[in-house]
Every structure is written in structure tokens, then in C-alpha cells.
Amino acid sequence: MVTFSVIPLLAVLVSALGALLIACTGERRRNLREFWSVAAGVAMFALVASMIPAVLAGRTPECLLFRILPGIELAFRVDAFGLLFAAGASLLWILTSFYSIGYMRSLKEHAQTRYFSCFALALSATMGVAFSANLFTLFLFYEALTLVTYPLVGHKETVEARAGARKYVIYLLGAAKVFLLAAIILTYNVTGTLEFRNGGVLSDAQLTQHPSLLLTIFALFLFGFAKNALMPLHSWLPAAMVAPTPVSALLHAVAVVKTGVFSTLRVFFFVFGLDAMRALGADRVALVAASVTILAGSLLALSQDNLKARLAFSTVSQLSYIILGAALLNARGVLGGTVHITNHAVSKITLFFCAGSIYVSTHKTEISQMSGLARHMPWTMAAFAMSSLSIMGIPLTSGFVSKWYLALGAVDRQSLTLLGVLLVSSLLGAAYLGQILYKAYFELEEESPAHDEIREVPWIVAPLAISAAASLLLGLYPGLVLRLAGKVMP
């Protein structure tokens, strides 16, 4: 049942207001500036959480701002899928805000007002994507997210940072203009609407008359949402690791890449629909692309010595679990892929928080430098271990819940090949993360007086300990996430 509500609009605007207050406060009153960042995050999460009972009860809050043409509107609508994504992003933003304060102050980073302002605007754009009622609204906020995160990627303003930011914006804006915009225009031309509907917007007559065109449109969407990091449009993601670590956490867990896979699944479920994907053979296209990315991303991660680069290629691989689950076109596969949006976000943000903690305390960036590190940074490495186990899919962690349903989905599809992809990639994940844990816990370090001076920063350790605990809690008590994800299947 659709009901009018201004709460979706407020959820989008609250962090934009926070960005304005942050910019007005400036560098001279940094405590107040950072208060606005945290307060905006808390207010956003409260607004998002307030809609959970209504959505679980079957209601759909909606807010129409204006209509441009028939079927083209700026409108927000809150369903279970969007709410699950928004709840995870808004909650993790609160942790990232506290983490950012400790990180930026410890390193005495420049341009902190710009940093916190762009961070807030990025979450505003993310909420806009989460609650979009149609492709037009989604496209506007999807592009806005690219633009407001560009200064964050290039924050350090070095030659390397500028090159990484340039590659980031060229890939994402280029794919959106060349592929995504074309897909949206063709979709409107075929269907006469850009609205999201349960089961998709395609009629049987359209499927019969335009099968080749519709399959082309599907491929344009699949690669046009380049934030999903499907190969070969993935290299912007490792390049963006020149950004400060909290930005990397934003890119990999809270906003950017999750917006990519969320938007991809939104098209799968609410533009094409599972039946149309099956009729067109679009599921096979997505499964091949996702499987190649899962395995290749894992192998590339294994070859990296830089910690953030290894985590970046891990993200490339893990994102395609979500696409693979949706493309299985069965209930348990879709559930596994949808749940993995939240579960991977919690685990991966912890790993990046840990990478930042290591850098702040030791200025080490390479895995080969981390022998014996657990003795000096026990909290950081314990959190890293917990989240690594989740990424591997070890029982009792949140990652196990996702991979269990994905494996069941592969079995339901009667595909030993896809089941093999999941198993092999899990083993590769154990290899590229297990190596880090082995060096930190079991290898002897070189004797150095500097090692005795290593100290963990409380403002940084507290958020990563909370997010690591969440990886365990979501594995032990997955009920709420599973209930919301279960309502995604049309």
C-alpha cells in the first residue's frame, strides 16, 4: 500500500543540510564542525529507522516532487530493498564520522572542512539513490555521487592523487554517459515509463517484439553502472586507493560501490524482472560477467603487496557475489545476493578502518612490513581477523550467511560450475587475507626501538571494534536483515 510521506525527502536532505553547516562552521571551530557531521549521520539513521516498521507492515512511503513528462518524475519511494541499503549506509556513516575525526586529526590532514562537507553530500546522494522511485531520479543522484566524491578521491592533491581522481571520474562519468544514459533513453522509448515496478515494466508483447534490443539495453545497464566494478570497467577502483583511508571505506562499504550494485539489482528486479531476464537469456550474460570478475578479482588481490590495493581487488571480487546472486533468478540466490550488500559492507569497512589504523600508528602500507604487528596493535588486528573470517565465509560470521544462501541458490539452479566459482573464490579469499593474519600473528618482527613506540589511537580503534563486532552479530542474529531482504523478491 503506497502512502504519502515526507520522511524519504528529509532523509535525503538532512546530510545536505549538515554539509552546509559544516562548510559555514569552517576550520576555526573544528569541534562544532565535526559535531554537525556526527549529528547529521545520527539524524539520517533515525529517519531511515523510523520507516522500518511501516515497510515491514507492507506500506510503501512515497514522495512525488514534480513531474517533467508522463513517466518521468522526480520522486522518492521506500521499499524493503531501498530501506535495507539506506539503513546500512546511514548506520555505517556514523561510525565513519567518528573514525574520520580520529584519522584526520592524527595525521593533521589539510582541507578538513571540504573533506567533511563532501562526505555529507555523498551520503545525501546515496540516500537519493536508495529511495529513487524511477530511473530518472536514480540517474540524477547516481551522477551527483560521482561528482561529490571526486574531491575526496583527490584529497591529498599529489600528482598520484590527481591521476587517481581523474581516472575515477573519467571511468564513472564516461560509462554513465556512453552506456547508462543510452540504456535509460532506450528503456523509455520501448516502455513509455522509467518507473520501478515489482516484476518489471516489460510486457509480453515488448519481449516478443524487441528481444535483441532489450538484451542490448540490459548489457548497457550492466556495464553502465560502472560503480559495480564489473570487469573490464573495474580499474578505477584500485586507482582510487590514493584517497585517505576513510574515503576508501566510503568507496568500498558505505556509498559508491554499493550504489553500483544496488542500482544494478534495482534494474534487474524492477525494470526487467526475473521472468523477463530468463526469457531474454540476460541472466547468463550477468552470470558470466560476475563469475569472471569474482575469480579474476581474487587472483589479482592475491598478487598485491600494498594492503589497500589487496582490499580493493577483494572488493572487486566480492561485489560480483551480489550480482551473481541476483542473476541466479531463484529465491535463495536473490536473498544471498541482497543480504551480501549489508554483510560485505560491515566486514569490508572494518578492514579498511584497520588499514587506516595501521597507517596512522606505524605509517606502514605494505603487507610485507606487517610481521609481528598483532603484538603492538592487538585491537586492530583482532578486528581485522574477525572481518577477514566474515569475508572468507566462516560460520557464525555475517559473510557465512550470505555465502550459504548463494551456495543454495547455485544448487537450486543445478549449476556445479557456479557452485565451484563460489568455493574457489572463498579459498582464494582465505589465501589473500590469511597471509596477512599469518604475518601479523605468527611471523617474528625485526627488532627495532621504533616498534616499542607503536600505539593504537582510541578514536580510530573504537569504530573498527564496533564494526567488527557487527560482523559477528549479523552472523549470529541475521533475522532483521533477512526479513527485509526477503521482501525484495517480487
Side-chain angles (χ1 to χ4, degrees):
M1 180 177 64
V2 176
T3 58
F4 175 78
S5 174
V6 297
I7 296 179
L9 177 61
L10 293 176
V12 173
L13 293 178
V14 67
S15 59
L17 175 60
L20 179 61
L21 292 171
I22 290 166
C24 291
T25 303
E27 298 286 344
R28 286 177 296 180
R29 303 173 68 188
R30 65 178 189 174
N31 289 338
L32 180 60
R33 176 192 66 196
E34 289 153 8
F35 166 79
W36 292 130
S37 180
V38 174
V42 172
M44 175 186 284
F45 178 70
L47 288 167
V48 171
S50 71
M51 294 184 282
I52 292 177
V55 171
L56 289 176
R59 295 192 293 276
T60 305
E62 184 176 39
C63 179
L64 172 63
L65 297 184
F66 57 83
R67 179 176 289 108
I68 300 174
L69 292 170
I72 302 180
E73 303 166 339
L74 185 62
F76 301 108
R77 182 182 303 136
V78 182
D79 59 8
F81 188 35
L83 189 62
L84 179 65
F85 175 49
S90 57
L91 180 59
L92 291 176
W93 183 33
I94 299 172
L95 290 178
T96 308
S97 295
F98 283 110
Y99 180 89
S100 293
I101 294 168
Y103 184 93
M104 301 299 279
R105 287 192 179 189
S106 296
L107 294 179
K108 297 180 174 59
E109 287 280 356
H110 73 292
Q112 292 187 30
T113 297
R114 181 187 67 193
Y115 170 91
F116 284 105
S117 296
C118 289
F119 231 110
L121 289 173
L123 267 293
S124 186
T126 302
M127 291 302 108
V129 171
F131 297 143
S132 293
N134 53 62
L135 278 168
F136 175 74
T137 307
L138 186 147
F139 180 76
L140 292 181
F141 284 98
Y142 181 91
E143 290 292 81
L145 180 60
T146 302
L147 295 174
V148 299
T149 50
Y150 171 72
L152 292 173
V153 175
H155 176 81
K156 293 182 179 180
E157 298 180 8
T158 61
V159 173
E160 185 183 13
R162 290 191 181 98
R166 186 163 56 247
K167 188 170 188 177
Y168 173 82
V169 78
I170 288 172
Y171 264 70
L172 297 187
L173 288 182
K177 297 296 184 292
V178 175
F179 300 133
L180 183 54
L181 188 59
I184 292 172
I185 292 170
L186 289 171
T187 299
Y188 185 75
N189 187 58
V190 171
T191 66
T193 184
L194 297 179
E195 184 183 4
F196 297 133
R197 295 177 190 164
N198 285 338
V201 299
L202 299 173
S203 67
D204 292 338
Q206 290 163 351
L207 288 171
T208 303
Q209 294 170 9
H210 310 290
S212 298
L213 175 60
L214 290 173
L215 190 58
T216 300
I217 293 172
F218 179 86
L220 290 172
F221 274 123
L222 187 64
F223 293 100
F225 288 120
K227 291 185 178 76
N228 62 25
L230 274 176
M231 292 184 175
L233 299 179
H234 70 287
S235 60
W236 64 269
L237 188 52
M241 291 303 97
V242 295
T245 301
V247 176
S248 300
L250 171 80
L251 292 174
H252 288 259
V254 181
V256 177
V257 295
K258 290 304 185 301
T259 297
V261 290
F262 172 84
S263 300
T264 304
L265 266 59
R266 182 65 91 179
V267 168
F268 282 11
F269 301 151
F270 299 95
V271 175
F272 282 83
L274 303 189
D275 291 337
M277 285 179 62
R278 188 177 292 108
L280 293 168
D283 56 325
R284 293 192 291 274
V285 175
L287 288 171
V288 170
S291 297
V292 169
T293 303
I294 287 171
L295 295 177
S298 297
L299 289 170
L300 287 169
L302 195 57
S303 68
Q304 307 300 311
D305 187 42
N306 182 275
L307 178 57
K308 285 176 67 177
R310 181 168 293 196
L311 296 180
F313 280 108
S314 169
T315 297
V316 170
S317 174
Q318 292 285 318
L319 289 175
S320 283
Y321 277 84
I322 298 166
I323 295 173
L324 184 143
L328 289 172
L329 303 186
N330 56 56
R332 294 197 286 192
V334 169
L335 183 63
T338 305
V339 168
H340 201 56
I341 293 177
T342 300
N343 291 346
H344 174 260
V346 172
S347 301
K348 188 52 65 74
I349 200 172
T350 306
L351 294 178
F352 274 100
F353 282 174
C354 292
S357 178
I358 292 168
Y359 179 72
V360 168
S361 296
T362 69
H363 287 281
K364 293 179 178 179
T365 59
E366 307 304 303
I367 296 166
S368 56
Q369 301 170 330
M370 295 180 185
S371 299
L373 192 61
R375 185 167 70 88
H376 304 285
M377 305 187 71
W379 287 99
T380 296
M381 291 314 303
F384 193 98
M386 175 59 68
S387 297
S388 295
L389 294 176
S390 180
I391 295 294
M392 296 173 199
I394 301 301
L396 303 183
T397 65
S398 60
F400 171 76
V401 177
S402 306
K403 294 192 177 185
W404 177 254
Y405 282 103
L406 288 169
L408 292 176
V411 171
D412 290 345
R413 193 178 170 98
Q414 299 181 344
S415 175
L416 288 176
T417 300
L418 295 176
L419 185 61
V421 167
L422 295 171
L423 293 175
V424 170
S425 65
S426 292
L427 291 174
L428 289 171
Y432 64 69
L433 292 172
Q435 181 192 17
I436 301 169
L437 296 175
Y438 179 82
K439 292 187 74 68
Y441 280 98
F442 300 110
E443 279 193 0
L444 296 177
E445 62 186 323
E446 296 180 5
E447 291 298 327
S448 170
H451 289 164
D452 296 328
E453 300 176 3
I454 295 174
R455 297 289 185 274
E456 294 177 299
V457 180
W459 273 89
I460 293 177
V461 169
L464 66 85
I466 294 171
S467 58
S471 292
L472 180 61
L473 290 174
L474 287 176
L476 296 173
Y477 305 102
L480 179 59
V481 174
L482 288 173
R483 282 184 66 191
L484 285 171
K487 289 181 174 292
V488 171
M489 190 82 165

